[in-house]
């Protein structure tokens, strides 16, 4: 009889182990599902921070005569005699850039999000990014736009517009746009 | 003897139930911890979207002689003779505001995030928020700052600084700051 008891005990233990395994497997599945769910949340956060922050309406696509790729310029302060200053925003999609151009009284660029390039004629490309403020001297040919992979949100301030606003030139070629031309 | 087997079987079942309960309790604790952890992540996301987007370094707290509450002005373009323009950023914590002041050649405010107030002397308070651009005419007393509950991130552009930059006046009282004074 003691053999029977021993057998029963062993059988119950096995059953229990089996039950335990089922519980363990269920636990593992639930925990995995929850970890995946948590990770999905984290991924969403990371994606959100990778998107550019928009402050102003995107506006209409800029003319192909002035921009290469998809650039969206929006005037914020139109020319007037009191402030003597023009302010606007441009959203450049990745790869988009302005033509070469110059400003009789210079220009100030304020980068509010993303990564882009700015180049003064004859100098290497500078990398510009969120928080940067760039001064472009009067009557100097330059271009600016997004990096190849990340877009650019930038404000521009054109001071002293009584001296003139902008003189447009030719498009920036793919070769000129190449980051191989960069100083960073 | 069969009674003993029965007793042993019952005891083992009880022990198993007890084990199962321990497993269930452990499972419940683990799942609760993971749910809390997931919720904490979500809370962080929600807090992040509620927090203001910072573009520039916060900088040092502005003088109590010029601001009420916690305001953090940062110069971005210092006065120079070429651009004839001053650009800067101010982060106002909720409730913070500038003193009354005026600009000989006016000022342009560009709100990059948050909610705040702007008031020209003798007119009702205007509510200003992310994406707004406000022109403040030359030689007109005004003040600007955050709303009582939400902070304000704002760029300022002072054009034509050859005419002067700013004339500071008295603090904005709590009564003047009151939103009851608003037009919205």
């Amino acid at each position: 009889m003691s053999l029977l008891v021993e057998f029963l005990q062993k059988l119950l233990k096995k059953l229990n182990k089996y039950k335990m395994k089922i519980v363990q497997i269920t636990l593992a599945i639930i925990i995995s599902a929850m970890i995946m769910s948590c990770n999905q949340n984290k991924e969403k956060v990371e994606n959100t921070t990778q998107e550019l922050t928009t402050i102003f309406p995107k506006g209409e696509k800029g003319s192909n005569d002035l921009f290469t790729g998809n650039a969206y310029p929006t005037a914020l302060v139109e020319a007037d005699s009191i402030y003597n200053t023009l302010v606007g925003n441009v959203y450049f999609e990745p790869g988009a850039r302005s033509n070469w151009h110059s400003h009789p009284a210079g220009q100030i660029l304020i980068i509010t999000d993303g990564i882009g390039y700015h180049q003064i004629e004859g100098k290497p490309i500078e990398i510009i990014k969120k928080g940067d403020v760039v001064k472009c001297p009067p009557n100097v040919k330059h271009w600016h736009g997004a990096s190849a992979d990340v877009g650019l949100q930038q404000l521009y301030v054109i001071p002293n517009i009584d001296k003139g606003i902008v003189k447009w030139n030719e498009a920036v070629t793919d070769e000129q746009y190449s980051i191989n031309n960069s100083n960073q």
Side-chain angles (χ1 to χ4, degrees), chain A residues 66-129:
Chain A
L66 307 179
F67 297 94
T68 300
N70 297 325
Y72 298 83
T74 303
L76 296 173
V77 176
E78 305 274 0
D80 79 41
S81 56
I82 297 174
Y83 301 90
N84 196 26
T85 298
L86 207 71
V87 181
N89 186 66
V90 189
Y91 169 53
F92 291 97
E93 286 186 7
R97 64 267 191 181
S98 73
N99 278 16
W100 288 98
H101 61 285
S102 64
H103 305 277
Q107 183 180 45
I108 297 161
L109 301 177
I110 302 165
I111 316 307
T112 57
D113 207 4
I115 301 172
Y117 306 145
H118 173 242
Q119 185 175 28
I120 288 174
E121 194 178 35
K123 294 193 177 177
I125 291 176
E126 302 167 70
I127 293 176
I128 54 179
K129 57 185 193 309

Side-chain angles (χ1 to χ4, degrees), chain A residues 13 19 21 32 50 78 109 112 127 145 149 166 172 176:
Chain A
K13 269 188 193 167
K19 267 192 208 163
K21 276 207 179 155
S32 303
Q50 275 173 17
E78 305 274 0
L109 301 177
T112 57
I127 293 176
D149 300 321
V166 60
V172 173
Q176 288 171 330

Side-chain angles (χ1 to χ4, degrees), chain A residues 147-166:
Chain A
S147 71
D149 300 321
V150 180
L152 185 76
Q153 287 275 12
Q154 59 131 80
L155 284 162
Y156 61 83
V157 177
I158 304 176
N160 306 314
I161 55 170
D162 52 352
K163 295 182 185 172
I165 295 173
V166 60

Side-chain angles (χ1 to χ4, degrees), chain A residues 163-182:
Chain A
K163 295 182 185 172
I165 295 173
V166 60
K167 288 178 187 167
W168 285 101
N169 301 102
E170 71 282 7
V172 173
T173 65
D174 287 348
E175 201 179 359
Q176 288 171 330
Y177 179 73
S178 165
I179 190 62
N180 297 329
N181 194 16
S182 166

